[in-house]
Amino acid sequence: MRRKGEDIDAGNSEAHARLFLDELTGHGIQAPSLVAITHWHWDHVFGMSALTRIPTIATEDTKAGIEALKPFSWDDDSLDNRVEKGIEIEFCADAIKKEFPIKRNIRIVLPTITFSNELTLDLGGVTCVLTQVGGNHSPDGLVVYVKEEKTLFLADVLAPDLYASEWKFTPEETIKMLDRIEDYKAETYIVSHWKPITRNEYLQETDFLRRTAEAMLEFQGEETAVRRALEENNGSLSEEESRTLQYFINGWKKE
Ligand SMILES: [Zn+2]
């Protein structure tokens, strides 16, 4: 995704990152002068090694997450082995095999610039505020707010923790993250793997997350009571809402 002068995330492979840079050139748009990395997951960092002349910026926690990938090999056997040991998850191992069907020339590169918590970048007429909001998906989860455009890049922060034995949300972490995001009264929200949404759509999306988190705390994770409370408000839960509730139930069980 491109903002003037800055790019967000490096994509899931060198090929992907190069394709993106080529498309920019093709459209007469300058290559970004800086790339912000939102979290350490493979599909956001494997493209970094293609960005040889562009500095990358990330939180200290993201750097640590990327650093932990360095010793790994990425052939099928190594991936399967890590899935077996619970270090990697099948969901990502399968996606990596798909993205790199033949040659898996993955080089893990660390971010050039790191910071903690929050950082403001003045790119000349465009101000970006980078904030680590955490969340269950990845504790290093970073959002990028473009002030002048009132646009907030959420990356994956609204997704559950996929690295747990069962996908999960926890109420405390969810509420804390949503509160931090609420500090920005953005007009447009951009969610990775989806599309730009308006503030109203964002509120609709997150309203259920927040109410489920609150009901989990109120009823101490008692599923029937939580479901009843949610249904009083919503009517019967949609498939997606039931899935969200299930992630909270999974998160309530002690791992
Ligand atoms: Zn992710």
Side-chain angles (χ1 to χ4, degrees):
M1 276 173 283
R2 193 196 65 87
R3 298 285 96 196
K4 185 180 162 197
E6 195 204 28
D7 181 30
I8 295 165
D9 283 331
N12 57 11
S13 63
E14 286 195 355
H16 223 101
R18 284 207 192 95
L19 178 72
F20 175 73
L21 293 175
D22 287 349
E23 283 292 311
L24 291 183
T25 313
H27 287 85
I29 300 167
Q30 265 190 348
S33 49
L34 197 58
V35 174
I37 306 296
T38 62
H39 59 302
W40 63 266
H41 289 170
W42 75 279
D43 53 327
H44 299 254
V45 306
F46 278 6
M48 283 170 76
S49 53
L51 307 172
T52 44
R53 276 185 288 271
I54 309 170
T56 49
I57 186 163
T59 63
E60 284 291 339
D61 288 346
T62 298
K63 183 182 180 181
I66 299 172
E67 213 152 20
L69 300 175
K70 274 201 139 174
F72 293 155
S73 304
W74 301 96
D75 55 279
D76 283 7
D77 285 349
S78 305
L79 277 169
D80 295 343
N81 195 280
R82 287 204 294 282
V83 170
E84 223 160 88
K85 285 185 182 153
I87 301 167
E88 185 53 271
I89 51 171
E90 207 160 1
F91 183 75
C92 290
D94 288 348
I96 292 168
K97 289 174 190 172
K98 238 185 178 165
E99 175 65 25
F100 302 87
I102 311 158
K103 227 174 97 205
R104 224 160 276 165
N105 54 335
I106 296 159
R107 281 189 303 126
I108 301 299
V109 168
L110 296 178
T112 330
I113 307 158
T114 53
F115 68 99
S116 292
N117 196 25
E118 190 171 292
L119 180 80
T120 302
L121 293 170
D122 184 343
L123 301 170
V126 181
T127 317
C128 295
V129 186
L130 282 56
T131 310
Q132 183 172 351
V133 298
N136 287 119
H137 181 70
S138 200
D140 56 337
L142 179 80
V143 299
V144 179
Y145 182 58
V146 184
K147 249 185 187 167
E148 289 76 8
E149 298 180 13
K150 291 190 165 48
T151 299
L152 187 66
F153 287 82
L154 291 170
D156 288 354
V157 298
L158 299 181
D161 176 3
L162 313 183
Y163 278 84
S165 56
E166 294 170 300
W167 291 13
K168 69 170 189 186
F169 282 124
T170 60
E172 297 86 355
E173 196 54 41
T174 300
I175 292 169
K176 205 168 78 194
M177 174 195 72
L178 291 175
D179 284 348
R180 287 210 78 180
I181 296 174
E182 255 317 280
D183 288 346
Y184 302 105
K185 300 288 179 221
E187 284 170 5
T188 308
Y189 294 78
I190 298 179
V191 184
S192 291
H193 316 291
W194 205 31
K195 55 166 190 178
I197 53 173
T198 63
R199 174 156 179 85
N200 268 339
E201 289 171 305
Y202 166 80
L203 289 174
Q204 269 173 28
E205 277 297 312
T206 51
D207 177 60
F208 186 78
L209 260 186
R210 187 185 284 275
R211 278 191 299 111
T212 311
E214 285 168 355
M216 287 295 291
L217 292 173
E218 185 180 348
F219 300 104
Q220 288 299 294
E222 216 281 285
E223 185 171 352
T224 322
V226 174
R227 186 179 283 274
R228 200 183 306 125
L230 290 169
E231 286 183 341
E232 254 168 40
N233 224 296
N234 275 55
S236 62
L237 304 188
S238 69
E239 216 175 285
E240 199 194 328
E241 289 168 337
S242 291
R243 218 175 302 134
T244 300
L245 172 58
Q246 187 57 51
Y247 297 155
F248 275 102
I249 299 295
N250 297 343
W252 194 266
K253 299 178 218 158
K254 295 279 169 277
E255 291 248 354

